[in-house]
Amino acid sequence: MKTLQLRVTGRVQGVGFRPFVYRLAESLQLLGEVSNSRDGVSIHIQGSQPALEEFKERLLLEAPEQARVSTCQENWLEANPYQAFSIQPSFNSQEQLNLQLPVDTRPCPTCLEEMFNPQDRRWRYPFINCTECGPRYTLMQQRPYDRQHTSMQAFQQCPACLAEYENPADRRFHAQPNACARCGPQIWCTEADGQSLPGDPLEKAVATLQAGEILAIRGVGGFHLMCAADHPTAIQRLRQRKHRPDKPLAIMALNGASLEPWVELKRDHRDLLESPAAPLLLLPYKKQAASQLAVADLAPGLKELGVLLPSTPLHWLLFHTLLGRPEDSSWLHQPLSRAWVATSANLSGQPLITDNQQALEQLVGIADLWLLHDREIVTGCDDSFFQASHSPVALVRPGRGLAPLHLTLPETSPLRVLALGAYLKTSVCLLGEDQACLSQYVGDLDQATTCRRLQATAEHLCQLLDFQPEVICSDLHPDFYSSRLAEELARQWQLPWLQVQHHHAHVAAVMAESGLQERVLGLVLDGQGLGEDGLARGGELLEVTPQGFTRLGELAPLLLPGGDQAAREPWRVAAGVLQQLGLKAAAAFDPADQPGYALLQKLLARPHLCSQTTSAGRLFDAAAGLLGVCSQQSYEAQAAMQLEALVTDLPQLSEKLWSLESGQLSFQPLLAKVATFTDPQRGAEIFHAGLIAGLEEWLLKASDETGISKVVLSGGCFLNGFLREELLTRLQARGLEVYFPQQISVNDTGLALGQAWVASMARKADYSQFLERLSYVPGRTGTN
């Protein structure tokens, strides 16, 4: 008898795909089997030709919500007749590359209904899940995605759970994390001594929050620190203990209706918040919220507030306990005035904490109570995070629910590439054939623990995906840990090590995501990226192909007195600007008032000894310093964010506040104008208007000269909502096609994808010049 074999690849494990196949086959009275393989799902099926045709059509149209089918290959085999349709054990053969992995999702509505139904056996069980929802990636130890390959292997299912697991008609048919209070993970509370406290742990946790104390809670991908959002003393206590004096804090509310008093919430915002990924969104807070609530304590000097909704059963149980354990589920949709501050539980600059013992040791002196559980987290994964107050929405941090991100590429790569990112906001990318897998946000590589996590993430992804790289990629900067790790791995594995120029990688990442293979104009605005000539750059206009780039221009350099210290103290950048302008002080800022100015003055007297940068980030710092908005930063981009927060509208300019000569764009006239304002709001609005107008002219001129109409915008400065929205709108109105990151981060978290894409395309273009094309030589302006 002829048997139809289907090999399905994509995100088809951990999303209820095999149970879906089983039910579909049963409904059509087809015989055969389905099983997981290392590269996806294998289906063997027998029946009438019309039924088989309908099966193939519905397989793609009716797949589970979280499934993402990449390919479905058909083959006809000779086989013995099947007696029924069944789900078979997984097998490990991998016939083709599949870089998709299941992601973690928030509980589905049906699981929530069960969890808050007193008659259900999982009433208030904090690890409820089904084939449609729950943890996946953070539990996986290897593929295929089966229970014995996850951290749930430590929990043997009780008869009731096992019956669900084996029943094709059940929602938990082959739900790998399936468990209940009788057989599954448990929660408990402890203080710093690590001893479990008697009594209901959820009651104790809520009492801690109500008392203005700080709770450490273990979630799906790591720990949160939480306190009451309307308790200023608790918020200040959290800031002091975490050494986070100014950095904004996010709040967790019960539902969208509960966020209405806090932020301007549109329908698409609510949809994103309530999506399976349950990300954190940065939204404008309502004006009345500043006086009625604790917004000034949560986001000092800003106009936007980070908000999120519950993403794990434990979060909902905290709210349920706070409300006195209502016996129906109507409270899930009703507004609640109480919200919690929820921030990642890590020491400043350190990776997210995932382990119980690690949390007890590192959070001593920060948390008052720990709410723990015994389901091990294999891979740490922070909250996903979007800047959503302007259009288009910008991804700041890919994490739980989004990562690992799978991308289908516009062209097949002849190489398998492992890329390790740069220095800040690092991630890992695996690229092979027509696919790429971009990891979750790893962090900044200024701490040994984050460096170790970068290596662990790369090794874990390669092991999970059975991926053997043929090339290792990193940034051009030789001192980044990612570069040193790439060199070491290349030596160990005897592979080529390729370094990709920072801003070329930024543009190439968007090209890979958007399927662009022709020439584009790439405008990259960020803090810093090492150029191929050894200069620190942060504002470049490039003509880019996947194989190389040519620099068309850059921002005029600013003095950087004190080097890296100037990036932390914007007053130093402002003092350098005043020196370049021949001024002693600005209307709202006198550098002589700053401690350390006497020494800085001596340095400025010999400007040839000062570092220089074309960084767009430092341009924002200069404006903030000149207006007296921010003289010292306690967190990255503080000055730029506080400057943006002053802007209400972009004024019409009465004069040209920039100059453009030989491709170099100078904003000295703009900074000179800003220096005349005593009103910081007026100065901030003029700065933004002048910056956007100058960039618009720069890009239009370059388009006219090159004949290129496609423009890529990238770099962390585009997290500024006014810059992003207004520049994109103006360029589109002038007939340019503008590409902005959609699925990847606009900052350096998306950089690894660009590195890998450049490597794969340069190799395809010319193998004999592979190393030359990607080993940028100091003094050369580009590769062509």
Side-chain angles (χ1 to χ4, degrees):
M1 175 177 286
K2 289 284 188 179
T3 298
L4 175 62
Q5 179 191 47
L6 298 175
R7 290 194 172 275
V8 186
T9 66
R11 188 190 294 168
V12 290
Q13 294 187 18
V15 294
F17 198 83
R18 285 181 302 166
F20 157 69
V21 169
Y22 178 95
R23 288 190 288 269
L24 179 58
E26 286 280 290
S27 71
L28 296 173
Q29 297 182 333
L30 296 171
L31 308 176
E33 64 184 30
V34 60
S35 60
N36 277 342
S37 64
R38 286 193 64 82
D39 57 2
V41 168
S42 176
I43 304 170
H44 291 76
I45 198 158
Q46 296 173 345
S48 68
Q49 192 64 33
L52 290 175
E53 292 299 325
E54 183 176 351
F55 177 87
K56 288 190 295 182
E57 181 179 359
R58 292 174 61 185
L59 183 72
L60 302 179
L61 292 176
E62 300 174 13
E65 181 182 0
Q66 298 304 312
R68 300 290 184 272
V69 174
S70 297
T71 64
C72 183
Q73 296 182 340
E74 295 184 27
N75 190 25
W76 286 96
L77 305 172
E78 291 288 346
N80 292 326
Y82 286 94
Q83 302 304 311
F85 195 90
S86 63
I87 293 182
Q88 293 297 312
S90 301
F91 60 95
N92 285 322
S93 67
Q94 180 165 333
E95 297 190 4
Q96 62 185 103
L97 185 69
N98 179 14
L99 298 184
Q100 290 221 30
L101 290 168
V103 298
D104 308 287
T105 61
R106 69 184 300 198
C108 66
T110 306
C111 280
L112 287 178
E113 290 286 340
E114 289 180 353
M115 186 168 66
F116 296 114
N117 178 2
Q119 308 307 315
D120 194 279
R121 71 187 191 90
R122 288 188 177 86
W123 181 61
R124 288 177 58 85
Y125 182 57
F127 302 96
I128 193 169
N129 66 87
C130 69
T131 54
E132 296 289 334
C133 70
R136 300 291 191 267
Y137 175 59
T138 53
L139 303 180
M140 285 186 71
Q141 297 165 334
Q142 66 181 71
R143 286 199 309 188
Y145 175 69
D146 290 324
R147 191 181 183 94
Q148 66 268 27
H149 298 151
T150 74
S151 57
M152 285 300 294
Q153 65 178 316
F155 303 94
Q156 184 175 354
Q157 295 182 82
C158 66
C161 286
L162 189 60
E164 295 170 329
Y165 184 87
E166 295 177 342
N167 180 5
D170 197 279
R171 301 173 44 244
R172 296 185 171 89
F173 183 43
H174 281 256
Q176 306 306 334
N178 189 36
C180 69
R182 181 179 174 186
C183 64
Q186 302 296 317
I187 61 171
W188 68 94
C189 274
T190 181
E191 294 176 340
D193 60 7
Q195 298 299 310
S196 178
L197 298 175
D200 186 331
L202 289 166
E203 295 286 355
K204 290 185 179 299
V206 169
T208 295
L209 294 170
Q210 294 279 71
E213 296 181 326
I214 298 168
L215 174 70
I217 175 173
R218 193 184 198 194
V220 168
F223 277 80
H224 277 117
L225 289 171
M226 303 179 76
C227 70
D230 57 354
H231 199 302
T233 302
I235 295 170
Q236 290 307 314
R237 185 180 293 122
L238 176 59
R239 289 193 175 281
Q240 291 165 5
R241 293 180 182 179
K242 209 181 175 196
H243 305 292
R244 188 172 175 166
D246 305 304
K247 192 173 182 178
L249 297 166
I251 64 164
M252 178 185 291
L254 173 61
N255 48 38
S258 304
L259 286 172
E260 292 288 350
W262 294 84
V263 293
E264 303 290 345
L265 192 64
K266 298 179 181 177
R267 180 68 256 177
D268 55 343
H269 297 149
R270 185 176 294 205
D271 290 344
L272 189 52
L273 286 165
E274 295 173 351
S275 69
L280 185 155
L281 299 190
L282 196 62
L283 295 172
Y285 65 72
K286 290 186 174 177
K287 293 180 179 179
Q288 65 268 28
S291 57
Q292 294 178 358
L293 303 165
V295 172
D297 297 308
L298 294 167
L302 304 178
K303 285 186 177 179
E304 296 172 327
L305 183 64
V307 297
L308 70 163
L309 301 180
S311 60
T312 75
L314 261 181
H315 296 150
W316 266 286
L317 286 167
L318 289 176
F319 287 111
H320 187 244
T321 304
L322 173 70
L323 291 170
R325 302 188 180 194
E327 294 192 357
D328 62 14
S329 59
S330 62
W331 63 276
L332 287 168
H333 313 289
Q334 295 171 356
L336 178 66
S337 60
R338 180 59 55 88
W340 317 120
V341 171
T343 184
S344 301
N346 59 310
L347 301 180
S348 181
Q350 298 285 345
L352 182 68
I353 295 172
T354 60
D355 178 74
N356 285 342
Q357 189 58 39
Q358 184 186 30
L360 288 168
E361 292 171 357
Q362 294 192 16
L363 299 179
V364 170
I366 300 178
D368 297 297
L369 188 72
W370 286 254
L371 180 55
L372 306 177
H373 65 72
D374 55 357
R375 186 179 66 194
E376 290 307 307
I377 299 171
V378 176
T379 301
C381 210
D382 214 332
D383 299 311
S384 293
F385 175 19
F386 289 89
Q387 206 281 358
S389 57
H390 291 78
S391 179
V393 169
L395 177 62
V396 181
R397 180 178 67 207
R400 175 190 36 74
L402 298 179
L405 172 67
H406 179 270
L407 291 159
T408 300
L409 303 175
E411 188 168 339
T412 299
S413 167
L415 287 174
R416 294 190 177 189
V417 185
L418 168 61
L420 299 176
Y423 178 69
L424 298 176
K425 304 171 182 63
T426 313
S427 67
V428 171
C429 183
L430 278 57
L431 184 149
E433 299 179 5
D434 63 344
Q435 304 172 64
C437 173
L438 191 63
S439 79
Q440 73 277 15
Y441 165 92
V442 175
D444 299 343
L445 299 180
D446 56 354
Q447 300 285 337
T449 49
T450 316
C451 293
R452 289 193 292 270
R453 182 157 294 185
L454 175 69
Q455 182 170 356
T457 300
E459 292 174 347
H460 183 58
L461 277 178
C462 286
Q463 177 264 323
L464 269 182
L465 296 168
D466 196 21
F467 187 88
Q468 296 180 343
E470 297 167 288
V471 179
I472 311 292
C473 276
S474 71
D475 191 82
L476 189 61
H477 202 299
D479 295 330
F480 289 171
Y481 173 78
S482 54
S483 299
R484 299 199 300 270
L485 175 62
E487 182 179 22
E488 175 61 21
L489 292 177
R491 184 189 63 79
Q492 288 180 15
W493 299 343
Q494 298 183 334
L495 298 175
W497 167 41
L498 303 174
Q499 296 174 272
V500 181
Q501 199 258 22
H502 193 85
H503 294 143
H504 185 196
H506 260 299
V507 179
V510 184
M511 294 177 72
E513 180 199 51
S514 304
L516 296 172
Q517 296 176 276
E518 60 270 58
R519 294 187 306 157
V520 302
L521 297 177
L523 176 62
V524 183
L525 303 177
D526 62 4
Q528 178 177 316
L530 185 69
E532 72 290 338
D533 51 6
L535 294 180
R537 302 182 182 277
E540 291 192 281
L541 180 57
L542 308 175
E543 179 184 326
V544 180
T545 68
Q547 295 83 18
F549 74 95
T550 301
R551 181 176 298 104
L552 301 179
E554 61 186 343
L555 297 180
L558 297 174
L559 293 178
L560 206 61
D564 288 345
Q565 191 173 358
R568 297 186 294 272
E569 300 179 3
W571 76 267
R572 291 174 175 269
V573 187
V577 167
L578 292 173
Q579 171 74 16
Q580 290 177 303
L581 294 174
L583 300 174
K584 290 186 176 180
F589 164 72
D590 188 344
D593 296 336
Q594 297 294 325
Y597 176 68
L599 183 60
L600 190 72
Q601 192 175 28
K602 294 178 182 179
L603 184 60
L604 289 173
R606 294 180 290 177
H608 62 283
L609 296 179
C610 285
S611 301
Q612 292 190 353
T613 181
T614 63
S615 167
R618 302 295 78 76
L619 194 63
F620 281 89
D621 290 349
L626 290 170
L627 293 168
V629 172
C630 180
S631 60
Q632 299 204 27
Q633 302 188 97
S634 66
Y635 62 91
E636 184 190 6
Q638 180 179 357
M641 291 168 66
Q642 291 184 345
L643 188 72
E644 181 187 4
L646 293 171
V647 178
T648 302
D649 294 303
L650 295 177
Q652 292 291 324
L653 298 176
S654 59
E655 56 186 317
K656 184 175 178 178
L657 296 174
W658 62 91
S659 64
L660 181 57
E661 185 175 350
S662 301
Q664 187 178 84
L665 179 62
S666 173
F667 284 108
Q668 279 209 3
L670 176 61
L671 293 174
K673 183 73 172 181
V674 168
T676 66
F677 287 101
T678 56
D679 178 4
Q681 179 177 348
R682 180 63 177 167
E685 291 177 341
I686 290 292
F687 172 77
H688 280 77
L691 176 68
I692 293 166
L695 293 172
E696 177 189 10
E697 180 182 297
W698 198 22
L699 282 162
L700 290 172
K701 187 172 187 295
S703 178
D704 287 341
E705 292 176 350
T706 62
I708 301 173
S709 61
K710 297 182 186 295
V711 176
V712 167
L713 305 179
S714 188
C717 290
F718 283 105
L719 291 175
N720 181 300
F722 287 100
L723 171 61
R724 179 173 75 249
E725 183 171 1
E726 185 67 17
L727 182 60
L728 189 146
T729 300
R730 291 188 185 189
L731 294 175
Q732 288 176 331
R734 299 296 293 270
L736 298 182
E737 295 180 51
V738 185
Y739 295 85
F740 184 80
Q742 299 295 311
Q743 300 179 73
I744 63 173
S745 298
V746 69
N747 58 32
D748 283 6
T749 310
L751 200 72
L753 172 63
Q755 293 171 346
W757 180 239
V758 169
S760 67
M761 290 298 98
R763 164 63 177 86
K764 186 178 181 67
D766 189 345
Y767 180 76
S768 65
Q769 298 181 26
F770 184 34
L771 294 177
E772 180 186 352
R773 286 180 181 276
L774 285 160
S775 298
Y776 296 97
V777 178
R780 196 167 67 190
T781 58
T783 60
N784 298 284

